[in-house]
Amino acid sequence: PGAMCRALAKEAPQEESEGGSRRSGWGLLVTAGVGGALVALYAVATPFVTPALRKVCLPFVPATAAQIQNVLKMLENRSGSLVDIGSGDGRIVIAAAKKGFQAVGYELNPWLVWYSRYRAWRDGVRQNTKFYISDLWKVSFSQYRNVVVFGVPQMMPQLEKKLEEELECNARVVACRFPFPCWIPDHTTGEGIDTVWAYDLKHSRACETKSLEITPKTES
């Protein structure tokens, strides 16, 4: 019996060692699997949350249902072309197209643009929508009568100046989440993050200057 006990004692550590190796192997496999899943998730999600504009850090934050309804409210009785600056996943453009607008979205993130095009096709408004991969600072918005902006505070002063220089006097600018620093809104609706401000360019100083410039001089 003593010899048998000594033999079992010698075999036991070996069995424990083999069991520990198996557990270690499974642990490595589980760790590798979780790590791979996280990498895949990061690869898919990153294009949707990275900044949409190079000059200003503007991450993609989807518009809420309340924001969309408030934007559409500010566009009631309006017509003509519409542009969404920083259009994200296209939900504002698509909602406007369903209301009869010829709607265009500019977005720097190509993944979001491709997804927007798919959503427009899925919702049956592909013919009334266009999405461009472009930096807003390199685009002229002079052809649009309705402009929607989801911005951040640090970009609003420069964008205000750009739009004032480019838009015609019959244009309306709808700002979401953050107002423009100098313009006085003609209409406001919503509360908190869902607040929307509407600005009619005919009331801006730039338009008054333009009207003076085109008024014929009269001889006294």
Side-chain angles (χ1 to χ4, degrees):
M4 185 179 295
C5 289
R6 285 194 296 273
L8 290 173
K10 289 181 180 178
E11 292 177 0
Q14 183 177 356
E15 291 177 357
E16 291 178 359
S17 176
E18 290 176 354
S21 298
R22 286 195 293 270
R23 287 194 296 271
S24 178
W26 279 109
L28 289 174
L29 287 174
V30 171
T31 302
V34 172
L38 289 174
V39 170
L41 178 63
Y42 178 81
V44 172
T46 295
F48 287 87
V49 298
T50 49
L53 305 172
R54 291 192 180 96
K55 184 173 289 189
V56 178
C57 182
L58 182 59
F60 167 54
V61 180
T64 66
Q67 287 171 343
I68 295 174
Q69 291 304 313
N70 289 337
V71 168
L72 295 178
K73 184 177 180 180
M74 294 293 96
L75 295 173
E76 287 180 356
N77 302 318
R78 299 281 301 176
S79 60
S81 56
L82 177 143
V83 61
D84 183 9
I85 300 176
S87 53
D89 62 0
R91 59 186 66 191
I92 289 289
V93 173
I94 292 170
K98 290 179 179 179
K99 293 294 184 179
F101 288 94
Q102 287 293 324
V104 176
Y106 285 92
E107 170 63 48
L108 192 59
N109 189 320
W111 293 85
L112 290 172
V113 170
W114 296 330
Y115 181 60
S116 299
R117 291 169 179 167
Y118 161 74
R119 290 190 63 179
W121 170 81
R122 183 193 65 186
D123 289 7
V125 292
R126 184 173 61 87
Q127 298 298 326
N128 296 332
T129 61
K130 291 182 180 179
F131 296 94
Y132 297 104
I133 304 171
S134 184
D135 186 334
L136 76 86
W137 306 109
K138 299 178 181 179
V139 177
S140 172
F141 300 107
S142 58
Q143 62 181 304
Y144 300 104
R145 291 191 62 237
N146 305 282
V147 180
V148 180
V149 180
F150 277 77
V152 292
Q154 56 265 40
M155 71 176 281
M156 301 305 275
Q158 189 171 355
L159 183 58
E160 180 181 73
K161 181 179 179 181
K162 174 179 172 64
L163 295 177
E164 195 168 73
E165 292 175 349
E166 295 178 354
L167 297 179
E168 296 295 331
C169 294
N170 61 354
R172 171 173 288 187
V173 181
V174 179
C176 306
R177 294 198 181 102
F178 299 100
F180 286 96
C182 297
W183 290 346
I184 299 174
D186 295 275
H187 309 278
T188 304
T189 188
E191 298 179 352
I193 63 171
D194 297 323
T195 303
V196 170
W197 299 266
Y199 306 86
D200 291 328
L201 267 292
K202 64 184 179 182
H203 296 150
S204 74
R205 182 179 300 177
C207 285
E208 291 176 0
T209 303
K210 288 180 181 179
S211 64
L212 289 174
E213 291 175 350
I214 63 175
T215 301
K217 293 183 179 180
T218 57
E219 296 182 358
S220 55

